[in-house]
Amino acid sequence: MHLADSRRPRRRLHSSQTRSRRTWVHWACVAAITLSAHASSSYADEVDVVIERARSLRSTGDLPGALALLRPMADDPKTSADPRVGSALGDALLAGANPSEAVTAYRSVVRVRPEPDDRRRLAIALIETAKAQMASGSRLSLRVVPYLEDALAEVKAAAAGAPAAGREFAVVAAEAHWLLGNPAAAREALEAPGLERDALAEDLFARACYALADYAAAADAWGRAGNPDAQAAAWSAGKDPRAIRWYADLALTRWNDPVIGDLAIRGGAYVDGGEGLDGALAAAVAPPDVSAEKRSAIERLRGRLAERRGKYADAVARYRVVAVARPDEWESGRDLARALFSLSVGDPAMRDEAIELYRNVLTTHPDDPDARVGLGWQARLDATNASREWPEHRRLDRAVELFRSLAETAPDDGQAWSQYGNAARIAGANEASIVAYDRAVAIQEYDAATWNDRGLALLAAGRRDEAIASFDRAIAVDAGDTSSRQNAARQQRLAGHDDVADAHLAAALRTARAVGGPCSLYRSLMDRGFRARRHPGVR
């Protein structure tokens, strides 16, 4: 009893301490919860403030400043898992043309907060990354396709999570399908209702339809998207007569724009061979109140259209009208010469007129490609056929003159001077050919063929030592040039330097065998040299 009584006060004391301790713990927990809530509220406010400031900087174009605020938060363990931080960082990176890093940021968001809009942003970043890879040269490769397939997976998941908002993801999915080379799937994705007033969706829908050869649907979609140029292209591809009227109106409205003229010619010629466009243009310039400048421009356009249609006589007639009305325009002579060249087969007088017109063009516009190509073609034709008319040498003389004109109007064109030298050498004008070759090798000293041809001209002029030096220079430039080896060997043999000649022929023979060329000539010349050694009187 004594023992029991002695223990009771202690139990009461123990019970009182326990109650006191429990009370302290209770209030400590309350305080902790209160402080935690306050800290959480403060943290959330701080994150919102930083994100809002970053967005403000982004709106003013200061992307580096925005990223400087967001990157530390994304790297901080306390804030890195906050989806608001990842989303804001992804937006800034995407705006700054850094889609691959934006993908990383958005993925961290989707892992924590897989909302449909977050998935949509991730899909957009994936597509932009794929487009960046494609722009660098990677088409549908392992560096591109996985991004597009992941984008489609994200769009599918987002649409499943928000069926009512599926329309918002249609354009993203369609673009991924389009980049994957699947226009049918892109078109199907864009057939969702409600996209008729979305210009971007309509443009992509039109491109898909065009790729699927549904030109009527493509034209309608481009019309709704406000792109009349593309609409006309679709009409033209579908051979729709509406394209003729559109191209004619375009050409008549912007009659002084050659790019528009080319577009109208191509489109009109494709629809009906150009007949409808030519008729529309002819009717437009028929009224007497049309200005002379506009009439000439339209007649020139009709001439180009006639050339496109192969009606060269009509083209010549149109260009003659322009040449009379606008004698001060060098393009008139150039266009007339081009049409005359195509029409003058079998008509020497007409061909001479075309050549003279082109030569006049070169005097004022030496870089004109039509004149240079036309005269170069005629010069080569004359030089090739000159031997068939021998002893008549009218064509050879004309070839020399044309090559000379081409060279003199292009003083820095080594090939032009080389061609002139060849023509002059064939015509027997050795000194003129040597001068031309000297100009050519001064411009392109690395051309072994020109050094070799120069050596031939020097031989014809009786300057053997200089010719041998020119052959040697050709060999130094290209040790495998068989022509210069053969020419050098012949001159060395005639000079009695048999060992040098044999060395050149042996090198030429090795080259011929290496490239699979004929070897008998060099073997024959080497055999002749061997027999000459046995019988010195025979060379």
Side-chain angles (χ1 to χ4, degrees), residues 178-309:
W178 174 259
L179 294 174
L180 282 168
N182 191 347
R187 174 175 179 168
E188 182 180 357
L190 291 168
E191 286 175 343
L195 293 174
E196 295 82 3
R197 293 179 297 276
D198 188 323
L200 292 176
E202 288 289 1
D203 180 73
L204 186 53
F205 180 77
R207 282 185 282 157
C209 291
Y210 193 95
L212 295 169
D214 189 351
Y215 303 118
D220 292 342
W222 269 319
R224 292 192 297 270
N227 189 342
D229 293 0
Q231 184 179 32
W235 280 337
S236 177
K239 298 188 181 296
D240 191 315
R242 287 177 290 182
I244 298 298
R245 184 68 264 167
W246 189 89
Y247 283 123
D249 291 343
L250 186 64
L252 293 170
T253 303
R254 298 169 62 179
W255 48 269
N256 57 347
D257 189 336
V259 176
I260 294 299
D262 289 339
L263 177 65
I265 287 172
R266 289 196 302 269
Y270 187 77
V271 174
D272 63 354
E275 184 174 354
L277 179 61
D278 184 66
L281 295 176
V285 297
D289 58 341
V290 178
S291 68
E293 187 179 4
K294 182 175 181 179
R295 190 187 305 278
S296 295
I298 297 302
E299 288 296 338
R300 177 178 287 122
L301 186 60
R302 292 183 66 198
R304 290 166 55 198
L305 181 60
E307 283 189 86
R308 177 72 176 253
R309 301 172 66 192

Side-chain angles (χ1 to χ4, degrees), residues 7-370:
R7 292 175 180 170
R8 284 177 185 172
R10 292 183 181 176
R11 279 201 296 266
R12 284 197 298 269
L13 180 60
H14 179 72
S15 176
S16 174
Q17 290 176 346
T18 301
R19 285 196 300 268
S20 176
R21 189 174 299 165
R22 287 176 179 172
T23 302
W24 180 83
V25 171
H26 167 74
W27 287 110
C29 290
V30 170
I33 292 171
T34 303
L35 290 173
S36 177
H38 178 72
S40 177
S41 175
S42 176
Y43 154 75
D45 292 342
E46 181 182 349
V47 170
D48 286 338
V49 168
V50 174
I51 289 176
E52 187 58 35
R53 187 178 176 190
R55 286 174 178 165
S56 176
L57 290 172
R58 214 182 80 200
S59 66
T60 62
D62 187 5
L63 283 172
L67 290 171
L69 288 175
L70 295 170
R71 286 188 188 277
M73 296 179 65
D75 295 335
D76 190 337
K78 292 187 296 185
T79 54
S80 60
D82 191 324
R84 294 171 301 167
V85 175
S87 181
L89 178 60
D91 292 345
L93 290 167
L94 197 58
N98 195 346
S100 59
E101 286 193 40
V103 167
T104 303
Y106 287 135
R107 284 196 191 279
S108 69
V109 175
V110 170
R111 281 195 296 268
V112 179
R113 187 183 66 187
E115 296 294 330
D117 192 57
D118 296 321
R119 291 187 180 277
R120 180 182 65 83
R121 294 185 184 193
L122 173 56
I124 292 173
L126 287 164
I127 290 174
E128 292 301 318
T129 303
K131 289 163 69 174
Q133 295 286 358
M134 295 173 77
S136 66
S138 300
R139 298 303 301 170
L140 292 181
S141 66
L142 288 175
R143 299 178 62 188
V144 173
V145 173
Y147 287 109
L148 298 175
E149 291 178 343
D150 285 354
L152 289 173
E154 293 297 334
V155 169
K156 184 178 179 180
R167 179 172 69 248
E168 300 176 8
F169 310 116
V171 177
V172 180
E175 187 170 13
H177 284 304
W178 174 259
L179 294 174
L180 282 168
N182 191 347
R187 174 175 179 168
E188 182 180 357
L190 291 168
E191 286 175 343
L195 293 174
E196 295 82 3
R197 293 179 297 276
D198 188 323
L200 292 176
E202 288 289 1
D203 180 73
L204 186 53
F205 180 77
R207 282 185 282 157
C209 291
Y210 193 95
L212 295 169
D214 189 351
Y215 303 118
D220 292 342
W222 269 319
R224 292 192 297 270
N227 189 342
D229 293 0
Q231 184 179 32
W235 280 337
S236 177
K239 298 188 181 296
D240 191 315
R242 287 177 290 182
I244 298 298
R245 184 68 264 167
W246 189 89
Y247 283 123
D249 291 343
L250 186 64
L252 293 170
T253 303
R254 298 169 62 179
W255 48 269
N256 57 347
D257 189 336
V259 176
I260 294 299
D262 289 339
L263 177 65
I265 287 172
R266 289 196 302 269
Y270 187 77
V271 174
D272 63 354
E275 184 174 354
L277 179 61
D278 184 66
L281 295 176
V285 297
D289 58 341
V290 178
S291 68
E293 187 179 4
K294 182 175 181 179
R295 190 187 305 278
S296 295
I298 297 302
E299 288 296 338
R300 177 178 287 122
L301 186 60
R302 292 183 66 198
R304 290 166 55 198
L305 181 60
E307 283 189 86
R308 177 72 176 253
R309 301 172 66 192
K311 296 179 177 285
Y312 299 112
D314 291 346
V316 168
R318 302 279 176 263
Y319 291 142
R320 287 197 187 281
V321 171
V322 177
V324 171
R326 310 288 294 182
D328 55 323
E329 291 184 353
W330 68 273
E331 296 95 338
S332 303
R334 186 268 317 276
D335 293 340
L336 178 57
R338 188 179 59 246
L340 285 169
F341 253 99
S342 299
L343 185 65
S344 63
V345 177
D347 189 332
M350 190 177 292
R351 180 60 58 89
D352 287 343
E353 181 186 4
I355 291 172
E356 189 60 28
L357 287 168
Y358 267 152
R359 294 186 71 177
N360 290 337
V361 170
L362 281 187
T363 60
T364 57
H365 292 78
D367 294 331
D368 181 71
D370 282 353

Side-chain angles (χ1 to χ4, degrees), residues 221-529:
W222 269 319
R224 292 192 297 270
N227 189 342
D229 293 0
Q231 184 179 32
W235 280 337
S236 177
K239 298 188 181 296
D240 191 315
R242 287 177 290 182
I244 298 298
R245 184 68 264 167
W246 189 89
Y247 283 123
D249 291 343
L250 186 64
L252 293 170
T253 303
R254 298 169 62 179
W255 48 269
N256 57 347
D257 189 336
V259 176
I260 294 299
D262 289 339
L263 177 65
I265 287 172
R266 289 196 302 269
Y270 187 77
V271 174
D272 63 354
E275 184 174 354
L277 179 61
D278 184 66
L281 295 176
V285 297
D289 58 341
V290 178
S291 68
E293 187 179 4
K294 182 175 181 179
R295 190 187 305 278
S296 295
I298 297 302
E299 288 296 338
R300 177 178 287 122
L301 186 60
R302 292 183 66 198
R304 290 166 55 198
L305 181 60
E307 283 189 86
R308 177 72 176 253
R309 301 172 66 192
K311 296 179 177 285
Y312 299 112
D314 291 346
V316 168
R318 302 279 176 263
Y319 291 142
R320 287 197 187 281
V321 171
V322 177
V324 171
R326 310 288 294 182
D328 55 323
E329 291 184 353
W330 68 273
E331 296 95 338
S332 303
R334 186 268 317 276
D335 293 340
L336 178 57
R338 188 179 59 246
L340 285 169
F341 253 99
S342 299
L343 185 65
S344 63
V345 177
D347 189 332
M350 190 177 292
R351 180 60 58 89
D352 287 343
E353 181 186 4
I355 291 172
E356 189 60 28
L357 287 168
Y358 267 152
R359 294 186 71 177
N360 290 337
V361 170
L362 281 187
T363 60
T364 57
H365 292 78
D367 294 331
D368 181 71
D370 282 353
R372 299 199 70 81
V373 170
L375 292 179
W377 179 83
Q378 184 64 52
R380 289 188 293 273
L381 182 67
D382 285 343
T384 301
N385 293 325
S387 60
R388 302 176 184 177
E389 300 178 354
W390 197 261
E392 170 64 39
H393 50 83
R394 175 180 176 275
R395 297 194 69 169
L396 180 57
D397 292 342
R398 186 168 68 181
V400 173
E401 283 301 308
L402 293 181
F403 280 126
R404 182 175 63 82
S405 295
L406 290 168
E408 290 176 347
T409 53
D412 296 329
D413 187 345
Q415 187 64 24
W417 285 104
S418 180
Q419 289 178 331
Y420 171 42
N422 289 338
R425 178 169 58 83
I426 294 171
N430 297 321
E431 293 302 326
S433 68
I434 293 170
V435 172
Y437 287 134
D438 286 343
R439 291 287 298 269
V441 296
I443 297 168
Q444 49 186 38
E445 58 181 341
Y446 52 83
D447 189 348
T450 302
W451 283 107
N452 179 67
D453 293 338
R454 178 177 178 272
L456 294 176
L458 288 165
L459 274 180
R463 297 154 62 177
R464 174 177 292 181
D465 292 342
E466 294 178 68
I468 293 175
S470 193
F471 295 141
D472 289 342
R473 184 62 182 271
I475 294 168
V477 171
D478 181 4
D481 183 43
T482 56
S483 296
S484 54
R485 289 282 190 183
Q486 178 185 341
N487 291 328
R490 177 176 175 79
Q491 298 309 312
Q492 295 289 357
R493 184 83 72 199
L494 292 174
H497 303 148
D498 293 329
D499 292 340
V500 178
D502 287 344
H504 282 311
L505 292 173
L509 181 59
R510 287 194 299 272
T511 299
R513 284 172 173 167
V515 300
C519 302
S520 57
L521 172 63
Y522 311 113
R523 293 173 62 183
S524 174
L525 291 174
M526 292 178 71
D527 179 67
R528 183 174 177 179

